[in-house]
Amino acid sequence: MSRFNYPAFPTAHGYMSEKIQQDYIAFAVSNRLLPTDAHRIAEIVSLDASNDIAKPIQFWQLFSVLGAERIVRIVEDFYRRVFADEEWFVSVFARVGGVRHHINTQASMWVDVMGGGPYYHGADFRLNFHHTHNAIQLMTERGAERWTRLMLDTLEDSAQHMTGDPRVSPALNTFLSFFMEKYAREFGFENNSVFGELNPPVRRKINFMKMSSDAIEAMTEQDLREALAEHGVDVSLYPGKADLVNKAQML
């Protein structure tokens, strides 16, 4: 029986949340982390985390678990570390504003993306403008490495903000990993950042009995293997797609 009762905090889409959700789903589907119809699965697109501990929390559902105060506390801890770091790193942030400015803007972006409502005015345009014009010196492998190190230190000391739900940390790591990969692509640096355990892949259990023979045959071999494995089938016994199709049609 679930010991959770989400949402613990009321959720709403923000200026960035829907687009980032769509971008991540497309990325996750292409990397076989989410099923191809993930954008139509209510428990995935919802802003409210599932109360079933077996189902991962998507990062746009984090506000429903953490609320604003916990998110702000994590961001506060991070930027205090940033402003205590080496001059080459600190100076880029300090030219834009003081520690409180960065806490406010970063926390607004996190809350917005995580399902807390419209807080980050300007959305993707504002984020890209900031990195291109204010923080371009840090949009490098060296800058990403230092940012990641400070964030890892922050997360290590943030257990008190993570609640008792073990799915929170993987969801937050997935959020950070996705954005770092996004920045690496946009600014042309190699992404070497590792934030720890990520959300596990979501596999949808397919009901073959409700599928036509043509629909089963239209599935890719990989999809068939994964779907049959979800049904407890030892797919190693079926070497080719035709064998997999026959087995699926027998279920």
Side-chain angles (χ1 to χ4, degrees), residues 3 25 38 42 45 57 96 104-105 120-121 136 139 146 165 177 197 207-208 210 217 226 239 245 250:
R3 55 191 176 90
I25 288 176
V45 299
I57 294 173
V96 178
N104 289 341
T105 55
Y120 194 70
H121 298 269
I136 191 65
M139 306 310 290
R146 181 56 60 91
D165 193 328
S177 296
E197 180 186 2
N207 188 342
F208 289 110
K210 293 186 177 180
E217 291 174 0
E226 292 177 0
V245 169
M250 292 170 59

Side-chain angles (χ1 to χ4, degrees), residues 78-79 82 85-96 102 130-148 150 180 183-184 187 189:
F78 173 72
Y79 275 106
V82 167
D85 207 69
E86 296 179 17
E87 175 63 21
W88 71 270
F89 191 73
V90 179
S91 62
V92 179
F93 294 90
R95 284 199 302 270
V96 178
H102 288 282
H130 166 68
H131 289 135
T132 301
H133 297 278
N134 298 331
I136 191 65
Q137 291 171 281
L138 297 182
M139 306 310 290
T140 63
E141 290 174 37
R142 185 187 186 205
E145 187 279 331
R146 181 56 60 91
W147 194 99
T148 299
L150 295 176
M180 188 59 76
Y183 299 149
F187 293 94
F189 62 84

Side-chain angles (χ1 to χ4, degrees), residues 184-236:
R185 291 195 308 272
E186 291 175 350
F187 293 94
F189 62 84
E190 185 175 352
N191 180 21
N192 298 311
S193 298
V194 178
F195 291 98
E197 180 186 2
L198 305 178
N199 276 352
V202 174
R203 307 297 186 201
R204 188 165 191 180
K205 194 168 185 177
I206 294 175
N207 188 342
F208 289 110
M209 293 181 64
K210 293 186 177 180
M211 295 179 65
S212 67
S213 295
D214 287 344
I216 293 174
E217 291 174 0
M219 294 176 66
T220 67
E221 182 173 340
Q222 183 62 32
D223 285 343
L224 277 165
R225 290 191 179 278
E226 292 177 0
L228 286 167
E230 285 292 316
H231 284 271
V233 174
D234 182 357
V235 294
S236 66

